[in-house]
């Protein structure tokens, strides 16, 4: 007969109850692990949505841009009047500061000594002419006598030499007369060009000669030229775009009072040599100046813009990125996948980037949300402004 172990009723009930609690705990733990694993698997099966970005198309735009340069006016022609002969000045034939015309009489140097010199040269010339006439008659006569064997040939040779000497003296006296007349003409100093005459350094009664220096200066102010330095980078950009020259550039002047000058200028030429200190090239533009509002050596602002500017390919400046290899943008292709696109930048103007190469019109570039993406991932692209 097998022995049977019996437990007291109270203890047996407690043990059964504890067993049930342990079993329930194990069941709850198992179910919990199952549900956690299910949630993890569900998350792994459902990928996150693509990041949203704003894009805009590369587009053609006409850039109305003005460049401002510091310029200085310069007279195209400026002549210093200098005495060529010596003498005392007669009363001035002009008022200082007035506008004069080409050929207008300005100074007269005392003319009497030079008039006397002309008269003397004329008398000497007449005397020389008489000697030539006499020598010619003598030569002709002796030539006839030689033909008749009346005189020796040596006498004819002497007559021929006398005639040549007389002709040489005549030529010398003719030159003297021309020189005297030229000196007399120098006693009148006339304006060599149209312009404004400045202050006279010598007044009536002063003795002047070639060593006296400048009597006065005539400055031609209409037209007038303006010189201004242009960075070489701008010149190269304009040359590549075939957008530099008198027919493609509008040039205006802004005066010291803030107002624009009435007349537009015309680009004249660029200096052949650059300034090594500033890496600029001096440009020259010509302006009409009929009212003499512009003076020589005056500071002005030169405002240059393109005439009939051509459209250029642009994107917003916010799309531009830069690394060690140079500028690039993030482009979104037809499959909404991000691509890195290298570009060349011509210029940056008014928040826009002018693209030289790397993009075509209509290409979509990311302008906002760039920090959330990288090349190769898919994005949810929305056009900016929509």
């Amino acid at each position: 007969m097998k022995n049977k172990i019996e437990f007291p009723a109270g203890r047996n009930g407690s043990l059964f109850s504890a067993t049930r609690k342990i079993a329930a705990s194990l069941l709850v733990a198992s179910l919990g692990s199952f549900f956690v694993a299910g949630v993890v698997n569900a998350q792994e099966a459902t990928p996150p949505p693509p990041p949203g970005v704003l894009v805009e198309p590369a587009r053609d735009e006409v850039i109305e841009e003005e460049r401002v340069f510091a310029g200085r006016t310069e007279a195209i022609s400026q002549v210093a009047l200098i005495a060529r002969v010596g003498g005392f000045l007669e009363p001035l034939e002009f008022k200082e500061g007035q506008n004069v015309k080409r050929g207008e009489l300005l100074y007269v140097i005392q003319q009497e000594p030079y008039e006397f010199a002309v008269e003397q040269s004329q008398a000497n010339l007449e005397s020389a002419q008489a000697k030539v006439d006499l020598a010619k008659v003598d030569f002709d006569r002796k030539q006839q006598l030689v033909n008749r064997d009346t005189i020796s040939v040596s006498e004819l040779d002497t007559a021929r030499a006398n005639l040549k000497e007389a002709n040489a003296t005549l030529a010398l006296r003719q030159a003297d007369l021309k020189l005297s007349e030229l000196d007399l003409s120098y006693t009148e100093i006339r304006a060599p060009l149209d312009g404004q005459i400045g202050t006279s350094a010598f007044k009536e009664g002063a003795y002047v000669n070639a060593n006296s220096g400048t009597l006065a200066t005539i400055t031609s102010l209409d037209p007038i030229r303006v010189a201004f330095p242009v960075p070489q980078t701008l010149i190269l950009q304009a040359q590549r775009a075939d957008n530099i020259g008198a027919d493609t550039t509008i040039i205006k002047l802004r005066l010291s009072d803030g107002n624009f000058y009435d007349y537009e200028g015309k680009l004249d030429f660029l200096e052949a040599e650059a300034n090594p200190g500033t890496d600029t090239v001096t440009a020259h533009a010509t302006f009409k100046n009929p009212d003499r509002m512009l003076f020589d050596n005056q500071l002005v602002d030169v405002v240059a813009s393109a005439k009939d500017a051509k459209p250029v390919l642009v994107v917003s400046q916010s799309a531009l990125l830069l690394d060690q290899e140079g500028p690039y943008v993030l482009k979104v292709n037809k499959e909404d996948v991000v691509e890195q696109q290298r570009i060349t930048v011509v210029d940056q103007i008014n928040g826009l980037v002018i693209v030289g190469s790397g993009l075509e019109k209509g290409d979509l570039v990311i302008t906002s949300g760039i920090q959330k993406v990288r090349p190769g991932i898919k994005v949810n692209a929305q056009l900016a402004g929509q």
Side-chain angles (χ1 to χ4, degrees):
M1 184 178 179
K2 294 181 179 180
N3 295 328
K4 182 171 64 174
I5 302 174
E6 294 183 359
F7 297 96
R11 292 182 62 188
N12 189 21
S14 298
L15 180 60
F16 179 75
S17 176
T19 302
R20 291 180 60 188
K21 288 181 180 181
I22 292 172
S25 298
L26 293 174
L27 179 60
V28 171
S30 299
L31 290 175
S33 300
F34 174 78
F35 283 119
V36 169
V39 170
V40 171
N41 291 334
Q43 289 178 346
E44 291 178 353
T46 306
V53 294
L54 294 180
V55 296
E56 70 172 30
R59 60 199 181 277
D60 288 335
E61 280 194 17
V62 176
I63 305 297
E64 298 290 344
E65 184 202 9
E66 292 183 341
R67 300 278 187 176
V68 181
F69 309 94
R72 187 178 292 275
T73 59
E74 55 183 19
I76 294 178
S77 298
Q78 191 173 58
V79 176
L81 302 177
I82 299 175
R84 297 187 180 185
V85 294
F88 295 96
L89 287 180
E90 301 289 350
L92 303 186
E93 300 290 337
F94 65 93
K95 291 183 179 180
E96 295 171 324
Q98 79 174 57
N99 294 321
V100 297
K101 296 291 185 181
R102 182 185 183 93
E104 184 175 341
L105 182 62
L106 302 175
Y107 290 97
V108 177
I109 297 173
Q110 188 179 17
Q111 295 180 325
E112 285 81 359
Y114 299 96
E115 291 172 343
F116 295 152
V118 169
E119 292 175 359
Q120 184 178 7
S121 297
Q122 287 174 339
N124 292 335
L125 177 62
E126 291 175 3
S127 175
Q129 182 64 58
K131 291 180 179 179
V132 168
D133 295 341
L134 181 60
K136 181 69 168 58
V137 171
D138 184 57
F139 174 77
D140 292 340
R141 183 185 305 114
K142 290 182 177 180
Q143 189 173 34
Q144 292 176 2
L145 294 174
V146 167
N147 292 335
R148 297 173 187 173
D149 292 331
T150 306
I151 62 173
S152 64
V153 176
S154 62
E155 291 186 45
L156 178 63
D157 292 338
T158 301
R160 182 183 291 110
N162 290 337
L163 178 58
K164 287 185 177 180
E165 183 179 1
N167 281 323
T169 302
L170 177 63
L172 180 61
R173 297 304 177 223
Q174 288 174 337
D176 288 341
L177 177 59
K178 289 181 179 179
L179 181 60
S180 298
E181 291 173 341
L182 186 61
D183 286 341
L184 178 60
S185 69
Y186 287 159
T187 61
E188 293 184 350
I189 300 176
R190 298 180 179 272
L193 74 165
D194 296 348
Q196 181 176 341
I197 190 167
T199 303
S200 178
F202 299 89
K203 302 297 189 289
E204 178 185 358
Y207 181 84
V208 297
N209 56 28
N211 297 322
S212 298
T214 301
L215 305 182
T217 301
I218 299 178
T219 303
S220 177
L221 296 175
D222 185 26
I224 195 169
R225 188 177 287 152
V226 177
F228 54 99
V230 181
Q232 288 197 62
T233 53
L234 295 182
I235 294 176
L236 292 175
Q237 292 170 12
Q239 288 175 336
R240 290 193 181 102
D242 193 21
N243 196 26
I244 187 170
D247 298 329
T248 59
T249 308
I250 299 174
I251 301 180
K252 300 178 181 179
L253 293 183
R254 187 163 54 218
L255 305 180
S256 57
D257 61 358
N259 295 319
F260 279 96
Y261 183 57
D262 293 337
Y263 299 93
E264 290 184 359
K266 183 178 181 181
L267 185 64
D268 200 355
F269 66 95
L270 299 175
E271 292 283 0
E273 184 178 356
N275 186 327
T278 60
D279 198 30
T280 60
V281 175
T282 300
H284 299 266
T286 305
F287 291 80
K288 295 180 180 179
N289 191 28
D291 302 324
R292 304 296 194 273
M293 289 190 66
L294 299 178
F295 303 91
D296 185 35
N297 211 27
Q298 177 181 354
L299 285 174
V300 292
D301 286 336
V302 180
V303 182
S305 58
K307 182 189 298 184
D308 302 326
K310 300 177 182 178
V312 291
L313 189 67
V314 299
V315 294
S316 294
Q317 213 164 24
S318 56
L320 181 64
L321 298 170
L322 189 67
D323 61 13
Q324 293 181 347
E325 297 183 21
Y328 68 95
V329 295
L330 294 180
K331 184 174 71 171
V332 177
N333 62 21
K334 295 180 179 180
E335 287 76 29
D336 290 335
V337 175
V338 177
E339 297 177 354
Q340 185 187 50
Q341 182 63 54
R342 295 286 173 184
I343 63 172
T344 59
V345 176
V346 176
D347 202 357
Q348 299 184 49
I349 303 169
N350 300 329
L352 298 176
V353 176
I354 300 178
V355 180
S357 62
L359 289 177
E360 295 182 359
K361 183 179 178 181
D363 286 346
L364 297 178
V365 297
I366 300 176
T367 58
S368 180
I370 294 176
Q371 69 279 3
K372 300 185 296 184
V373 300
R374 65 182 183 277
I377 71 170
K378 195 167 186 178
V379 294
N380 179 18
Q382 298 292 328
L383 284 175
Q386 291 188 353

